[in-house]
Amino acid sequence: MWIDNLAPDVQEYFLFVPNTVNSRDPIKAANIRPVAKTLN
């Protein structure tokens, strides 16, 4: 995934999301890919 296509504040959010330990990740790469592909 190309995180550099996202706005800087969105990049920072994803870089500092804490690791999950007890369940599945709330954010899935498949959900983020369409946003990362969108260029303004």
Side-chain angles (χ1 to χ4, degrees):
M1 179 183 347
W2 294 348
I3 195 170
D4 55 342
N5 286 341
L6 300 173
D9 54 334
V10 177
Q11 291 179 25
E12 184 177 359
Y13 171 80
F14 287 123
L15 290 174
F16 294 106
V17 170
N19 293 332
T20 56
V21 237
N22 297 328
S23 62
R24 295 179 181 228
D25 288 330
I27 300 170
K28 298 179 181 172
N31 296 337
I32 301 170
R33 283 188 190 114
V35 176
K37 288 182 181 179
T38 304
L39 298 174
N40 292 334

